[in-house]
């Protein structure tokens, strides 16, 4: 079986960042440097340039390539890291020209994830993403695979070996998908148990390094790994939080998001991110002192949309107010509903306000409403009875069932997401069943 290459730390890296007219972004370069350091690689030098379009063959132009070759030789570089997505052929051509390993942004992120994965599920997810990424390199980038098999100095493998490794890759990917499917089912059973126990779930999401794990630890008095580095948290952690004597919630700490997150990673981590999609409330943690916070908010919302969690109710949590001397406060919309909470995970300032908002959201008043179900919608009826919100039931001649419910807005939204029933079907009632005998 193929062995995937991994940085073991201490390697000397040359960084390459090319500005294009539509994406001349210094912050993106700073983020790339953070990624490199998070991977445990020594960033010896940085090559920055500008182009109108990438070169189809080598991504960079002839002059920039000569500059990179010179630096690789003078600094004895082990690996050249590009802050861009390279095609398999570009990666292969660059390796031939530079005579050293070349890794693009996606490969770098995959490597960091491989270092951070500790749980069985996390390791499966990372390996799946790595193999999917590698499979795109098998068609035309055969030297890439030759390197990973330790074939330096040996005659290149023939077509038969290529076909063999393609088959092995496909077999392994199928195996990993099957294992992750089982894990997803187990997670679903756990979620159903929590739903039956009527424990609300809060999912912490946010741009990587926004302080999610620090906030999670401070609120739940937990010890989830937290560090000032990108993707410190990879494996999801769930803990119970006692908001007050009447309300408990489950908090889920999840992987941090980043701009241009590889699609293979999003797909591989769909089971983990499902925890976010199924949550009752998304706590979007934001670094309030970050100058580019709006861009990062947009990047997180984009990933949430990719995993189908954009319809989940969201509360923005502006963290790190201790660094800017902002006061702890709650921001509300025109209807008086809380939309933002400002706090500090480090000093715990604003935690009482946070609990106040959570109580406000989940201790919501119920309304009396009517819902008419078709004969085929027995699952919805069963779920409503599980929630203990049905106060009266009437059967009609056409087989439909008219229910009178005492239910909260949160519960209506939850049912709408999980059972694909439109919220508009819940009609506010005066308390009497129309048409009741």
């Amino acid at each position: 079986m193929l062995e995937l290459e991994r940085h073991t730390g201490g390697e000397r890296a040359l960084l390459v960042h090319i500005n294009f007219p539509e994406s001349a972004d210094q912050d993106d370069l700073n983020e790339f440097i953070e990624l490199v350091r998070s991977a445990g690689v020594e960033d010896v030098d940085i090559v920055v340039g500008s182009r109108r379009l990438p070169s189809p063959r080598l991504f960079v132009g002839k002059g920039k390539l000569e500059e990179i070759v010179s630096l690789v030789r003078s600094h004895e570089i082990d690996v050249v890291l590009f802050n861009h997505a390279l095609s398999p052929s570009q990666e292969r051509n660059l390796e031939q020209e530079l005579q050293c390993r070349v890794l693009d942004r996606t490969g770098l992120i995959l490597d960091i994830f491989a270092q951070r994965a500790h749980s069985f599920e996390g390791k499966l997810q990372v390996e799946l993403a790595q193999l999917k990424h590698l499979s795109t390199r098998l068609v035309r980038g055969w030297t890439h695979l030759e390197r990973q098999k330790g074939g330096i100095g040996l005659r290149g493998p023939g077509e038969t070996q290529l076909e063999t490794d393609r088959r092995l890759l496909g077999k392994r990917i199928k195996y990993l998908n099957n294992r992750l499917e089982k894990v997803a089912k187990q997670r679903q059973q756990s979620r159903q148990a929590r739903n039956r126990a009527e424990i609300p779930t809060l999912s912490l999401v946010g741009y990587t390094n926004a302080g999610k794990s620090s906030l999670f630890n401070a609120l739940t008095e937990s010890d989830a790994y937290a560090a000032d580095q990108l993707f410190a948290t990879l494996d999801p952690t769930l803990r119970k939080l006692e908001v007050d004597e009447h309300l408990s919630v489950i908090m889920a700490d999840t992987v941090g998001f980043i701009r241009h997150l590889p699609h293979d990673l999003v797909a591989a981590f769909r089971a983990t991110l499902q925890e976010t999609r199924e949550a009752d409330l998304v706590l979007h943690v934001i670094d309030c002192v970050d100058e580019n916070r709006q861009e990062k908010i947009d990047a997180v919302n984009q990933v949430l949309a990719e995993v189908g969690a954009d319809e989940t109710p969201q509360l923005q949590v502006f963290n790190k107010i201790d660094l800017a001397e902002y006061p702890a406060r709650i921001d509300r919309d025109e209807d008086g509903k809380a939309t933002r909470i400002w706090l500090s995970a480090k000093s715990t300032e604003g935690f009482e306000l946070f609990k106040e908002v959570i109580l406000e959201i989940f201790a919501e008043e119920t309304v009396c409403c009517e819902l008419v179900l078709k004969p085929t919608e027995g699952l919805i009826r069963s779920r409503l009875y599980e929630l203990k919100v049905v106060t009266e039931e009437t059967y009609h001649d056409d087989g439909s069932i008219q229910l009178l419910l005492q239910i909260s807005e949160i519960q209506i939204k939850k049912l709408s997401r999980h059972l694909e029933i439109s919220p508009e079907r819940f009609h506010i009632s005066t308390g009497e069943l129309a048409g009741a005998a």
Side-chain angles (χ1 to χ4, degrees):
M1 183 58 205
L2 303 177
E3 290 187 5
L4 298 167
E5 62 174 326
R6 284 279 311 280
H7 292 317
T8 55
E11 289 179 292
R12 296 169 62 80
L14 177 67
L15 281 52
V16 179
H17 175 84
I18 306 298
N19 285 317
F20 298 100
E22 295 179 1
S23 60
D25 190 350
Q26 178 63 32
D27 180 61
D28 196 38
L29 175 56
N30 293 335
E31 184 174 88
F32 180 52
I33 294 169
E34 284 297 311
L35 278 171
V36 171
R37 289 173 181 168
S38 294
V41 182
E42 180 189 353
D43 49 317
V44 176
D45 207 342
I46 303 171
V47 174
V48 179
S50 298
R51 273 185 74 87
R52 192 173 62 84
L53 290 169
S55 161
R57 183 173 176 272
L58 292 164
F59 193 83
V60 295
K62 186 178 178 182
K64 191 58 64 179
L65 178 67
E66 289 174 358
E67 181 184 345
I68 295 170
V69 169
S70 173
L71 288 169
V72 165
R73 289 173 181 168
S74 62
H75 291 305
E76 298 181 349
I77 295 298
D78 299 307
V79 59
V80 177
L81 302 172
F82 277 73
N83 189 22
H84 310 277
L86 299 175
S87 70
S89 61
Q90 286 171 337
E91 199 169 282
R92 185 191 74 235
N93 293 336
L94 283 164
E95 287 186 340
Q96 289 175 346
E97 294 285 343
L98 302 176
Q99 292 297 298
C100 74
R101 287 183 300 120
V102 172
L103 208 61
D104 67 358
R105 182 185 171 91
T106 298
L108 177 63
I109 293 174
L110 286 170
D111 186 84
I112 295 170
F113 270 59
Q115 293 181 45
R116 301 283 191 271
H118 298 295
S119 72
F120 174 70
E121 180 188 7
K123 288 176 181 177
L124 286 179
Q125 290 169 325
V126 171
E127 186 184 351
L128 178 61
Q130 284 181 315
L131 291 178
K132 284 184 174 179
H133 182 64
L134 176 61
S135 66
T136 65
R137 264 75 184 145
L138 288 185
V139 182
R140 296 175 64 187
W142 183 235
T143 56
H144 205 87
L145 187 62
E146 192 176 9
R147 179 189 70 232
Q148 295 187 37
K149 289 179 68 63
I152 298 173
L154 302 176
R155 193 172 65 175
E159 183 64 19
T160 304
Q161 185 63 51
L162 174 58
E163 289 174 349
T164 301
D165 281 323
R166 267 205 202 113
R167 178 174 54 78
L168 289 173
L169 268 179
K171 189 176 179 181
R172 183 67 178 170
I173 287 172
K174 186 178 179 181
Y175 166 79
L176 291 172
N177 277 320
N178 289 337
R179 293 302 298 267
L180 283 170
E181 214 171 286
K182 289 180 182 177
V183 173
K185 286 178 182 175
Q186 290 168 352
R187 282 190 171 277
Q188 184 61 29
Q189 288 170 353
S190 299
R191 279 192 292 269
Q192 286 173 348
R194 292 200 299 271
N195 284 338
R196 281 193 292 273
E198 280 304 291
I199 302 176
T201 302
L202 281 56
S203 181
L204 284 161
V205 304
Y207 208 81
T208 186
N209 216 22
K212 294 185 309 304
S213 295
S214 298
L215 178 61
F216 178 84
N217 288 339
L219 284 168
T220 63
E221 297 180 359
S222 184
D223 58 353
Y225 181 65
D228 185 20
Q229 58 184 199
L230 302 187
F231 301 118
T233 303
L234 187 58
D235 299 310
T237 310
L238 279 73
R239 293 286 185 276
K240 194 173 184 180
L241 170 65
E242 303 282 351
V243 181
D244 75 353
E245 57 188 27
H246 302 296
L247 178 66
S248 298
V249 297
I250 297 292
M251 294 193 71
D253 188 17
T254 61
V255 62
F257 299 157
I258 196 169
R259 277 174 294 189
H260 317 304
L261 193 64
H263 287 289
D264 285 339
L265 267 182
V266 175
F269 279 78
R270 199 166 290 277
T272 302
L273 295 172
Q274 186 83 355
E275 202 69 58
T276 300
R277 195 174 80 85
E278 300 286 343
D280 297 295
L281 180 68
V282 167
L283 298 174
H284 184 167
V285 182
I286 298 156
D287 181 349
C288 73
V289 295
D290 192 326
E291 294 177 0
N292 301 286
R293 69 188 187 199
Q294 189 54 53
E295 291 174 25
K296 294 181 178 180
I297 289 170
D298 294 340
V300 170
N301 286 331
Q302 185 179 340
V303 177
L304 288 175
E306 281 188 52
V307 297
D310 50 332
E311 296 299 320
T312 307
Q314 184 182 122
L315 175 68
Q316 292 186 332
V317 180
F318 281 73
N319 188 25
K320 305 185 184 181
I321 61 171
D322 54 298
L323 298 180
E325 298 183 357
Y326 289 131
R329 70 175 194 268
I330 301 168
D331 292 346
R332 300 180 182 275
D333 62 15
E334 54 199 22
D335 297 322
K337 288 189 176 181
T339 55
R340 292 177 178 175
I341 174 80
W342 298 69
L343 51 71
S344 167
K346 187 176 181 181
S347 70
T348 73
E349 187 182 359
F351 276 23
E352 289 306 312
L353 291 177
F354 172 79
K355 290 183 178 181
E356 180 185 315
V357 169
I358 299 304
L359 276 171
E360 194 178 293
I361 292 170
F362 291 102
E364 197 173 13
E365 289 185 9
T366 60
V367 293
C368 187
C369 66
E370 293 172 359
L371 174 67
V372 177
L373 297 178
K374 300 170 188 174
T376 56
E377 295 181 315
L379 180 63
I380 296 173
R381 176 182 175 277
S382 173
R383 185 75 186 102
L384 289 166
Y385 270 97
E386 274 186 22
L387 291 171
K388 299 178 182 177
V389 296
V390 181
T391 60
E392 201 169 334
E393 182 178 69
T394 301
Y395 287 85
H396 294 292
D397 294 339
D398 61 359
S400 63
I401 308 169
Q402 192 168 7
L403 301 175
L404 187 65
L405 311 172
Q406 197 71 35
I407 192 168
S408 71
E409 188 180 336
I410 283 278
Q411 287 173 317
I412 290 175
K413 286 179 179 176
K414 191 172 182 178
L415 286 164
S416 301
R417 291 199 316 275
H418 295 180
L419 299 176
E420 296 182 359
I421 176 172
S422 170
E424 284 73 29
R425 289 179 60 185
F426 294 82
H427 299 288
I428 301 296
S429 168
T430 57
E432 294 180 358
L433 278 173

